[in-house]
Amino acid sequence: MIALRKSSKNPLDTEKVSNQVRKSLRVLFPDSNSAGDFDVILCKTGLLIAPRIGSSVAITSDFYYKILSVLEVALWPTLQLQHPLAMQLQGLQDRDWNRSRAFFYPFLIGSSQRLITAEIEEINYAKRTGNFKLMSNISIPLNKHLIICGQTGSGKSYLLRQFLSVFNSIGSVVLIDPKVSDCARWAKNHPSVELIQPVLSAGANGSSVNSDLLDNVNDKLDSLETIMYKRQESLLQQKKISADYRSLNMKPIFVVIDEVSSLTIGAGRQAKSDFWDHLTRLALLAREAGIVLVLALQQARSDVLPTTVRAQMNVKILLGAIDKDNSQYLFPNLSEVPFLPISGHGTGIMSVAGSQRYLGILPLATPTLKEGRNY
């Protein structure tokens, strides 16, 4: 028999969840009498499924994900299971040895819904919480490095513009836009934003792009490193051990680079090397100083983005069609595409490293902005 335990603060209909789990897991058992080989415990943030050692199933990582693939559909929309990138086990106290460990499946109560919001609402939320509200029950911290990937038409630029408005309201923004596209046009309406773009010129042979762009970018990144080291020196003087830029009453600096891969096309070897070196140092060292990298590109391949930089991106967003080919760069350990109950423009998957709430990959539908004033 499967026993379901309820937290005193858990608002779920535990009997409903219990029955659904009991019925759903039968498909994984080799015979109808093996339901007693598992206990299921409902916790505040996830399901614990404790298989009995010596049962008729192999207790392996593969079986962990088989259970997940069944339950993430069966329990939705009552519960939205997250998709861990590795099997998660939890020890159980005061139990027989053969039932003293359990598979852990983190969840969010209810299902995430796409937001219909206004820029001023996102700005006010960010000022109040330090987070960006991405979906109805998902918020991401604004002091972590962020990467957004997606093919043309996936909604990447639309989401990036929403971030830019929030960034500009709580800190300063350096926008590097090699495309001279919608983000650059947005920056033209916001004089406080420092825009770095190619210089377009027209000649007898047609239009061309100034080749000094990457040199200008490297000069700016070098100056940001100087700011980083100065802030770090000030932090070193703080008596408080756990301190960051906020302890100095300093505002964050958001370095937003759209279409990162296009920056190095046609550039010299030394300029490329300098760019990757600057980006790597900022990715590794700058977050405590309040310098946040925000990178947008189609695919985070190792030939266009150093692996070290990619690994330091705490918030990862992949938009558009999701398959093993395009997910391998942001989520290399993802063996199967997660359950995606949301469809439409600007949809995909996301993860937040180091979060106590978001412990796996989650489906994503980016906010839709109401008509009104742009900030």
Side-chain angles (χ1 to χ4, degrees):
M1 179 179 180
I2 298 177
L4 187 68
R5 301 179 184 178
K6 179 183 177 184
S7 167
S8 60
K9 296 182 179 180
N10 206 313
L12 292 174
D13 182 339
T14 56
E15 184 177 356
K16 176 182 177 181
V17 175
S18 175
N19 290 335
Q20 190 64 27
V21 170
R22 183 183 298 112
K23 290 186 293 185
S24 302
L25 291 184
R26 287 176 186 165
V27 301
L28 298 179
F29 301 150
D31 62 72
S32 60
N33 296 320
S34 57
D37 288 342
F38 290 85
D39 290 336
V40 178
I41 305 167
L42 181 62
C43 301
K44 185 177 180 181
T45 59
L47 283 172
L48 288 169
I49 299 182
R52 179 176 61 83
I53 298 299
S55 63
S56 55
V57 294
I59 312 304
T60 63
S61 178
D62 286 342
F63 192 66
Y64 174 88
Y65 284 107
K66 285 181 180 179
I67 293 174
L68 175 62
S69 66
V70 171
L71 292 183
E72 65 183 354
V73 177
L75 297 181
W76 187 86
T78 302
L79 296 176
Q80 181 170 304
L81 295 192
Q82 304 181 49
H83 194 103
L85 290 174
M87 178 177 67
Q88 297 192 16
L89 285 176
Q90 183 169 320
L92 301 177
Q93 301 297 321
D94 302 322
R95 281 180 160 241
D96 292 340
W97 178 85
N98 63 350
R99 293 180 183 271
S100 61
R101 83 280 304 145
F103 292 141
F104 178 70
Y105 300 94
F107 62 62
L108 300 178
I109 296 176
S111 60
S112 300
Q113 302 296 321
R114 187 194 296 269
L115 288 178
I116 308 297
T117 186
E119 285 187 352
I120 189 61
E121 293 173 4
E122 286 283 16
I123 289 171
N124 289 338
Y125 183 83
K127 288 180 176 180
R128 188 171 68 253
T129 66
N131 297 320
F132 182 91
K133 195 166 184 62
L134 201 54
M135 292 190 70
S136 59
N137 60 351
I138 298 176
S139 299
I140 59 174
L142 290 168
N143 63 343
K144 293 181 180 290
H145 299 317
L146 165 68
I147 185 168
I148 307 172
C149 291
Q151 298 298 323
T152 301
S154 63
K156 186 169 73 267
S157 295
Y158 184 75
L159 177 61
L160 191 59
R161 290 200 308 275
Q162 295 180 46
F163 277 119
L164 283 169
S165 296
V166 172
F167 295 156
N168 195 44
S169 70
I170 64 172
S172 57
V173 176
V174 176
L175 173 61
I176 301 169
D177 187 357
K179 297 188 303 182
V180 197
S181 186
D182 40 3
C183 288
R185 291 190 288 274
W186 173 89
K188 293 292 187 181
N189 295 321
H190 298 82
S192 61
V193 174
E194 183 175 354
L195 174 63
I196 302 175
Q197 65 178 56
V199 177
L200 302 177
S201 59
N205 297 322
S207 299
S208 63
V209 175
N210 191 310
S211 60
D212 293 335
L213 173 62
L214 191 55
D215 291 334
N216 294 336
V217 169
N218 283 334
D219 288 342
K220 184 58 189 180
L221 296 182
D222 184 66
S223 69
L224 288 168
E225 282 190 53
T226 300
I227 294 172
M228 174 185 73
Y229 289 125
K230 287 182 178 179
R231 288 188 174 190
Q232 289 175 338
E233 180 62 31
S234 298
L235 287 171
L236 190 60
Q237 310 305 316
Q238 296 287 306
K239 293 182 179 180
K240 185 179 179 181
I241 295 176
S242 299
D244 60 19
Y245 66 98
R246 290 167 291 191
S247 305
L248 303 172
N249 293 320
M250 293 181 173
K251 291 186 176 182
I253 302 171
F254 297 96
V255 184
V256 182
I257 308 179
D258 195 10
E259 293 299 347
V260 178
S261 56
S262 66
L263 271 177
T264 57
I265 296 175
R269 180 179 300 177
Q270 187 59 53
K272 288 182 183 179
S273 178
D274 290 344
F275 174 65
W276 297 133
D277 287 347
H278 286 308
L279 207 60
T280 299
R281 283 191 290 271
L282 289 171
L284 289 169
L285 304 174
R287 195 161 64 86
E288 189 177 80
I291 300 176
V292 180
L293 293 178
V294 180
L295 309 180
L297 63 166
Q298 295 194 21
Q299 287 186 328
R301 304 191 314 269
S302 57
D303 60 324
V304 298
L305 190 69
T307 303
T308 303
V309 174
R310 188 174 62 200
Q312 294 301 312
M313 298 294 107
N314 308 98
V315 180
K316 298 178 180 179
I317 294 175
L318 177 60
L319 298 176
I322 307 297
D323 56 39
K324 290 185 179 180
D325 289 336
N326 61 23
S327 64
Q328 63 180 307
Y329 304 110
L330 280 191
F331 306 103
N333 296 324
L334 183 62
S335 57
E336 296 183 3
V337 176
F339 168 58
L340 301 176
I342 303 168
S343 61
H345 189 67
T347 59
I349 57 178
M350 59 160 291
S351 69
V352 183
S355 171
Q356 298 301 309
R357 174 172 167 79
Y358 311 121
L359 303 176
I361 295 174
L362 286 165
L364 168 67
T366 58
T368 297
L369 291 182
K370 303 172 186 175
E371 294 295 327
R373 178 185 173 188
N374 292 323
Y375 289 80

